[in-house]
């Protein structure tokens, strides 16, 4: 019996290793050597017209990988009675899908039926970071596109109201560590949050407190001005840090000052180990960039259920 279980464990380890090895930065070297550049060109063009594109692409990649793995299921349109991921509540504000469409169209012209939509999403996220002043890296490629996309499964995404225990569980279920949690949260340096994402911290926080006491008082007051208790403005909200179009470590600096938006951001200060990492990255951009690249590659390697290359990223064949 013990020999059987040992054999089974070794088999599982070998399968996991094989799945990791299946992705390679050189996957398209012969079949589509221009793949990286074609995606970069599409991202650059979109960024020249819309400064919110980088944040959208980075968030899109995260939301794709956390539901069914990195299989581009987030790109599929709802059809008939099936409501797809992109129409799930956490994804309603996702945008810039056209960037992926444009990259796919250009790739199909150069290398028909070769580059997966899942790889395009991963490449576009890398370009979003690099073109915003952040680090660049060689993206391991070879992902396949999935055929299933269900809005109800977006409940699996970590919510902005999560505490540290909930965050740890969500990340560990996907093979990501607490270190990865802190590092990937730093991606909030790009972007914007609607009032609904942090309303819980500035109005009726608890029975004793109207406002989350961990928030900087003047910062909280400014948020209340933007997002009153009965806010009716659909697009009202705040930027995630003071340099929302630049990839930097200001997110961590603001977090240390009590100027974070989400409860899930503040949660990073509630354990000694995660708080130490926040302080580390607040003081060293070099350390943060190095860690971010490692965690991004790790997250983008979460195995999906895909087995094809879609010709149109919005629908299955």
């Amino acid at each position: 019996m013990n020999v059987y279980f040992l054999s089974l464990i070794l088999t599982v380890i070998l399968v996991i290793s094989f799945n990791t090895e299946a992705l390679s930065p050189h996957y398209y070297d012969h079949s589509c050597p221009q793949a990286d550049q074609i995606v970069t060109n599409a991202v650059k063009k979109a960024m020249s017209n819309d400064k919110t594109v980088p944040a959208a692409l980075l968030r899109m990649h995260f939301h794709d990988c956390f539901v069914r793995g990195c299989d581009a299921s987030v790109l599929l349109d709802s059809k008939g009675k099936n409501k797809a991921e992109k129409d799930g509540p956490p994804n309603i504000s996702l945008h810039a899908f056209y960037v992926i469409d444009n990259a796919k169209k250009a790739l199909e012209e150069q290398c028909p039926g070769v580059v997966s939509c899942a790889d395009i999403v991963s490449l576009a996220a890398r370009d979003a970071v690099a073109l915003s002043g952040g680090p660049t890296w060689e993206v391991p490629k070879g992902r396949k596109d999935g055929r299933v996309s269900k809005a109800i499964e977006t409940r699996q995404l970590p919510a902005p109201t999560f505490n540290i225990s909930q965050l740890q569980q969500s990340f560990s279920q996907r093979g990501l560590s607490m270190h990865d949690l802190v590092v990937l949260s730093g991606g909030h340096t790009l972007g914007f949050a609607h009032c609904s994402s942090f309303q819980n911290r500035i109005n009726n926080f608890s029975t004793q407190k109207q406002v989350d006491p961990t928030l900087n008082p003047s910062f909280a007051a400014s948020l209340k001005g933007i997002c009153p208790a009965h806010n009716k403005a659909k697009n009202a909200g705040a930027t995630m840090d003071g340099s929302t179009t630049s990839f930097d470590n200001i997110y961590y600096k603001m977090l240390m000052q009590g100027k974070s938006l989400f409860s899930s951001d503040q949660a990073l200060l509630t354990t000694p180990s995660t708080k130490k990492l926040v302080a580390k990255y607040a003081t060293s951009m070099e350390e943060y960039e190095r860690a971010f690249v490692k965690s991004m590659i790790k997250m983008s390697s979460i195995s999906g259920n895909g087995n094809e290359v879609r010709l149109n990223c919005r629908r299955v064949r």
Side-chain angles (χ1 to χ4, degrees):
M1 184 66 78
N2 288 340
V3 173
Y4 169 77
F5 279 116
L6 179 60
S7 174
L8 185 63
I9 290 166
L10 287 172
T11 301
V12 170
I13 291 170
L14 285 171
V15 169
I16 291 170
S17 300
F18 177 78
N19 286 341
T20 304
E21 289 298 317
L23 300 182
S24 166
H26 308 293
Y27 192 84
Y28 299 117
D29 281 4
H30 300 295
S31 58
C32 194
Q34 320 97 306
D36 278 51
Q37 191 56 54
I38 288 172
V39 176
T40 301
N41 291 344
V43 175
K44 276 184 179 177
K45 184 176 180 181
M47 284 178 64
S48 69
N49 297 315
D50 183 355
K51 64 182 181 179
T52 70
V53 161
L57 293 174
L58 186 57
R59 185 166 174 246
M60 185 189 299
H61 186 36
F62 182 89
H63 283 221
D64 182 41
C65 292
F66 263 60
V67 180
R68 291 187 168 270
C70 309
D71 67 347
S73 54
V74 75
L75 303 179
L76 289 170
D77 287 337
S78 295
K79 184 179 179 181
K81 293 183 179 179
N82 182 63
K83 192 175 179 182
E85 286 174 35
K86 63 167 60 169
D87 292 320
N91 288 343
I92 293 296
S93 58
L94 285 183
H95 66 288
F97 292 107
Y98 72 90
V99 182
I100 308 300
D101 293 337
N102 291 345
K104 181 62 173 174
K105 183 180 177 182
L107 284 163
E108 286 302 309
E109 290 172 359
Q110 290 291 321
C111 326
V114 172
V115 181
S116 69
C117 300
D119 277 342
I120 297 172
V121 173
S122 189
L123 288 165
R126 184 273 312 272
D127 292 333
V129 171
L131 295 171
S132 299
T136 189
W137 61 92
E138 287 281 350
V139 174
K141 298 174 279 286
R143 297 163 192 80
K144 291 294 185 278
D145 299 327
R147 300 177 62 86
V148 178
S149 183
K150 297 182 180 296
I152 196 169
E153 293 182 352
T154 59
R155 293 176 180 176
Q156 300 168 20
L157 290 165
T161 54
F162 271 14
N163 60 36
I164 197 67
S165 298
Q166 292 169 311
L167 289 168
Q168 182 177 17
Q169 182 180 15
S170 178
F171 274 65
S172 65
Q173 285 172 347
R174 292 157 180 84
L176 299 172
S177 66
M178 292 288 271
H179 191 178
D180 295 318
L181 163 64
V182 175
V183 172
L184 293 172
S185 293
H188 287 165
T189 185
L190 297 175
F192 174 90
H194 289 97
C195 294
S196 57
S197 298
F198 55 87
Q199 192 75 255
N200 66 303
R201 299 189 73 197
I202 57 173
N203 289 295
N204 300 317
F205 176 71
S206 70
T207 53
Q208 288 82 29
K209 302 278 186 180
Q210 180 72 9
V211 175
D212 183 344
T214 62
L215 275 172
N216 175 288
S218 60
F219 183 68
S222 69
L223 292 180
K224 284 178 73 70
I226 298 166
C227 304
H230 302 290
N231 172 58
K232 294 289 195 301
K234 185 180 178 182
N235 295 316
T239 55
M240 297 297 287
D241 75 15
S243 59
T244 189
T245 58
S246 297
F247 189 92
D248 50 37
N249 62 345
I250 290 179
Y251 162 83
Y252 295 109
K253 296 177 189 291
M254 291 184 68
L255 181 51
M256 296 290 287
Q257 297 165 9
K259 297 179 180 179
S260 62
L261 290 183
F262 299 159
S263 295
S264 58
D265 294 323
Q266 179 61 29
L268 302 182
L269 299 180
T270 58
T271 73
S273 61
T274 52
K275 185 175 182 179
K276 185 178 180 181
L277 287 169
V278 169
K280 177 182 178 181
Y281 297 133
T283 55
S284 176
M285 183 62 184
E286 185 180 347
E287 290 270 13
Y288 173 54
E289 287 189 342
R290 192 158 45 238
F292 187 80
V293 168
K294 287 181 180 178
S295 290
M296 275 296 286
I297 290 174
K298 188 175 176 183
M299 185 199 77
S300 71
S301 300
I302 297 174
S303 182
N305 298 311
N307 58 7
E308 66 180 20
V309 173
R310 280 185 229 137
L311 300 183
N312 182 325
C313 290
R314 292 175 179 257
R315 62 175 182 264
V316 296
R317 296 188 188 188

